[in-house]
Amino acid sequence: MAVPGLGFSLFLSTMILCFIYIESAPAGYTGITRHYKFNVELQNVTRLCHTKSIVTVNGQFPGPRIVAREGDRLLIKVVNHVPNNISIHWHGIKQLRSGWADGPAYITQCPIQTGQSYVYNFTVVGQRGTLWWHAHISWLRSTLYGPIIILPKRNVPYPFVKPYREVPVIFGEWWNADPEAVITQAQQTGGGPNVSDAYTINGLPGPFYNCSAKDTFKLNVKPGKTYLLRLINAALNDELFFSIANHSLTVVEADAVYVKPFTTETLLITPGQTTNVLLKTKPNAPNANFYMIARPYVTGLGTFDNSSVAGILEYESSFGGLKTLPIFKPDLPALNDTSFATSFSSELRSLASAEFPANVPQKVDQQFFFTVGLGTNPCQKNQTCQGPNGARFAASVNNVSFILPSTALLQAHFLQKSNGVYATDFPTTPIDPFNYTGAPPNNTMVSDGTKVVVLKYNTTVELIMQDTSILGAESHPLHLHGFNFFVVGQGFGNFDPNNDPKKFNLVDPVERNTVGVPAGGWAAIRFRADNPGVWFMHCHLEIHTSWGLRMAWLVQDGKLPSQKILPPPADLPKC
């Protein structure tokens, strides 16, 4: 089927190139092709003694595991059997020249409509570790998510001790209500959304919630073994502390990039982030069980789910389950312990070895300064709104609250039909500078627009992301599609362009795809724009994205054929 707007000759050449795109492998390809089929379908699921129909993949909650090796190509056919429009994002996959497979609705693709299908076709290039997939439209990722396990190439070892066993551990949220109804109501009233009813580990709420003792994730371990826990925060709106009673964890990877190992009793993981940790079990069965608990880290002023999810670490022992064992709880930081959050983040450093170097851009071609935070939109005439001062909640980057277009940005860019779809005048610095973390300005209103930043291919970028206290300081986990970036600096208060860059780490900063901008502070990142296409950047607190804390980078093609985005596949969904 032709892509709308393509002439016949261009369509013919597109189809030929698409055939090459599907059937041939990129330069340096050394892996195999793996096929998956995702049937998006409704499934009745019971949690908290409450049964409801949820959107799932293949009837599973959480969804199925994707397993591949570095260098493998993945062909994942997604078939939509539900009334909702669907798109799937492969979070953290760089999608080198394969932006059509990235997934955010109305950015790189139109969503897959009911009864339709789409094959996501991409190759895992230069990545290994834990990533994840999730729906990328409205709040459907509340139940549509699952792990992506990328193993090293065959016969290539981990840069740490080989684990006895590997276990994905996915944190999520559960609503007794329909999350789509929750966000719809919030958008109608202009107020904050209702919070979740529970947190989950691998879809299970655990014994601290009503009627949930049987729905508890249990990790059965042997004494004296090393386990690799692949931690994923799939929660919609909450950063989480995590700890296992009487055990320490060694962090070895963040966002599918190896880090210098360090040991901690507790870790912090924001929505969108992944963290691999080694758990060394005790040399002898301790005749006890241990809670593994996650609970929120809170910086904002809004309501939140003030509860904890627990799983149980239990040792294989000679009692055969006939003896009731004592169970221990970990001590977690206070809900608002920003000091711990800062200390944990500062421990993360790239491995920066000869085999896994940290290729930090030392020279910067373009610098950007983005303010990120909450604001307001005016209440519509003859309507009562529940946001601040009778207005509607909004969120913005450089005071632009991003409005999703009705045509996918990447398609408009590729077809050179951007008029009426997006503008290229996104402000690269705040239009009206103010004391970003001081007393808030009188005017809290934001502007609305669909704007992108245009970058030439291979541009090196330095971006300062500054939190604002307009409606109260709050941390923001910012996720960049299409690239990893290096977190070269973080701090509190207003960024000082004269002194703060002197303290940047340009040797071994952590390399990520999602970074927490500190509450009342800033984060500095660097990346090289060597991936042509249109790439979303947004807060991974879903409510902030819904309010408009999002934008897009448009990276132009390079001069060489290998530096150009490939044409769209024939089955690309239409709007």
Side-chain angles (χ1 to χ4, degrees), residues 20 64 127 202 225 234 277 292 341 355 417 427 526 568 571 575:
I20 297 172
Q127 293 183 275
N202 289 350
K225 300 292 185 181
V277 298
M292 41 202 308
E355 187 177 3
K417 293 187 176 183
R526 289 187 179 185
D571 64 340
C575 290

CSV table of all heavy atoms in Angstrom, one decimal, residues 20 64 127 202 225 234 277 292 341 355 417 427 526 568 571 575:
chain,number,residue,atom,x,y,z
A,20,ILE,N,14.9,-4.0,0.2
A,20,ILE,CA,16.3,-4.2,0.7
A,20,ILE,C,16.4,-4.0,2.2
A,20,ILE,O,17.1,-4.8,2.9
A,20,ILE,CB,17.2,-3.1,-0.1
A,20,ILE,CG1,17.2,-3.3,-1.6
A,20,ILE,CG2,18.6,-3.1,0.5
A,20,ILE,CD1,17.9,-2.2,-2.4
A,64,PRO,N,5.4,-10.3,27.3
A,64,PRO,CA,6.4,-11.3,27.0
A,64,PRO,C,7.8,-10.7,26.9
A,64,PRO,O,8.0,-9.5,26.7
A,64,PRO,CB,6.0,-11.9,25.6
A,64,PRO,CG,5.1,-10.9,25.0
A,64,PRO,CD,4.4,-10.2,26.1
A,127,GLN,N,24.9,-2.6,21.4
A,127,GLN,CA,24.2,-2.5,22.7
A,127,GLN,C,24.1,-3.9,23.3
A,127,GLN,O,23.9,-4.9,22.6
A,127,GLN,CB,22.8,-1.9,22.6
A,127,GLN,CG,22.8,-0.4,22.2
A,127,GLN,CD,21.4,0.2,22.2
A,127,GLN,OE1,20.7,0.1,21.2
A,127,GLN,NE2,21.0,0.8,23.3
A,202,ASN,N,6.8,-7.4,38.9
A,202,ASN,CA,6.4,-8.4,37.9
A,202,ASN,C,4.9,-8.6,37.9
A,202,ASN,O,4.4,-9.7,37.8
A,202,ASN,CB,7.2,-9.7,38.1
A,202,ASN,CG,8.6,-9.6,37.8
A,202,ASN,OD1,9.1,-8.6,37.2
A,202,ASN,ND2,9.4,-10.6,38.1
A,225,LYS,N,25.4,-18.2,45.8
A,225,LYS,CA,25.3,-18.0,44.4
A,225,LYS,C,25.2,-16.5,44.1
A,225,LYS,O,24.8,-15.7,44.9
A,225,LYS,CB,24.1,-18.7,43.8
A,225,LYS,CG,24.1,-20.2,44.0
A,225,LYS,CD,25.2,-20.9,43.2
A,225,LYS,CE,25.2,-22.4,43.3
A,225,LYS,NZ,26.2,-23.1,42.5
A,234,ALA,N,8.9,0.5,35.2
A,234,ALA,CA,7.8,0.7,34.3
A,234,ALA,C,6.6,1.4,34.9
A,234,ALA,O,5.6,1.6,34.2
A,234,ALA,CB,7.3,-0.7,33.7
A,277,VAL,N,21.9,-5.3,38.7
A,277,VAL,CA,22.6,-5.5,39.9
A,277,VAL,C,22.9,-6.9,40.2
A,277,VAL,O,22.2,-7.8,39.8
A,277,VAL,CB,21.8,-4.9,41.1
A,277,VAL,CG1,21.6,-3.4,40.9
A,277,VAL,CG2,20.5,-5.7,41.3
A,292,MET,N,11.9,-7.8,49.7
A,292,MET,CA,12.5,-6.9,48.7
A,292,MET,C,11.4,-5.9,48.5
A,292,MET,O,10.3,-6.2,48.0
A,292,MET,CB,12.9,-7.7,47.5
A,292,MET,CG,12.0,-8.8,47.0
A,292,MET,SD,12.7,-10.1,46.0
A,292,MET,CE,13.5,-9.1,44.7
A,341,ALA,N,19.2,10.4,47.0
A,341,ALA,CA,19.1,10.3,45.6
A,341,ALA,C,20.3,10.9,44.9
A,341,ALA,O,20.8,10.4,43.9
A,341,ALA,CB,17.8,11.0,45.1
A,355,GLU,N,37.7,-1.9,26.1
A,355,GLU,CA,36.7,-2.6,25.4
A,355,GLU,C,35.4,-1.9,25.3
A,355,GLU,O,34.7,-1.9,24.3
A,355,GLU,CB,36.5,-4.0,26.0
A,355,GLU,CG,35.6,-4.9,25.1
A,355,GLU,CD,35.4,-6.3,25.7
A,355,GLU,OE1,36.0,-6.5,26.8
A,355,GLU,OE2,34.7,-7.1,25.1
A,417,LYS,N,6.9,17.6,3.8
A,417,LYS,CA,5.6,18.2,3.9
A,417,LYS,C,5.3,18.6,5.3
A,417,LYS,O,4.4,18.2,6.0
A,417,LYS,CB,4.5,17.3,3.4
A,417,LYS,CG,4.6,17.0,1.9
A,417,LYS,CD,3.4,16.2,1.4
A,417,LYS,CE,3.4,16.0,-0.1
A,417,LYS,NZ,2.2,15.2,-0.6
A,427,PRO,N,12.5,27.3,20.8
A,427,PRO,CA,13.5,28.2,21.4
A,427,PRO,C,14.7,27.3,22.0
A,427,PRO,O,14.4,26.4,22.8
A,427,PRO,CB,12.7,28.9,22.5
A,427,PRO,CG,11.5,28.1,22.7
A,427,PRO,CD,11.2,27.4,21.4
A,526,ARG,N,25.6,15.4,27.2
A,526,ARG,CA,26.2,15.6,25.8
A,526,ARG,C,25.9,14.4,25.0
A,526,ARG,O,25.9,13.2,25.5
A,526,ARG,CB,27.7,15.8,25.9
A,526,ARG,CG,28.1,17.2,26.5
A,526,ARG,CD,29.6,17.4,26.4
A,526,ARG,NE,30.0,18.7,26.9
A,526,ARG,CZ,31.3,19.2,26.9
A,526,ARG,NH1,32.2,18.4,26.4
A,526,ARG,NH2,31.5,20.4,27.4
A,568,PRO,N,10.3,4.7,4.4
A,568,PRO,CA,9.3,4.0,5.3
A,568,PRO,C,9.0,2.6,4.7
A,568,PRO,O,8.9,2.4,3.5
A,568,PRO,CB,8.1,4.9,5.3
A,568,PRO,CG,8.2,5.7,4.0
A,568,PRO,CD,9.7,5.9,3.7
A,571,ASP,N,4.2,-1.3,5.2
A,571,ASP,CA,3.1,-1.4,6.1
A,571,ASP,C,3.0,-0.3,7.2
A,571,ASP,O,2.3,-0.5,8.2
A,571,ASP,CB,3.1,-2.8,6.7
A,571,ASP,CG,4.3,-3.0,7.6
A,571,ASP,OD1,5.3,-2.3,7.5
A,571,ASP,OD2,4.3,-3.9,8.5
A,575,CYS,N,-2.4,7.6,9.4
A,575,CYS,CA,-3.3,8.3,10.4
A,575,CYS,C,-4.7,8.5,9.8
A,575,CYS,O,-4.9,8.6,8.6
A,575,CYS,CB,-2.7,9.7,10.7
A,575,CYS,SG,-1.1,9.7,11.6
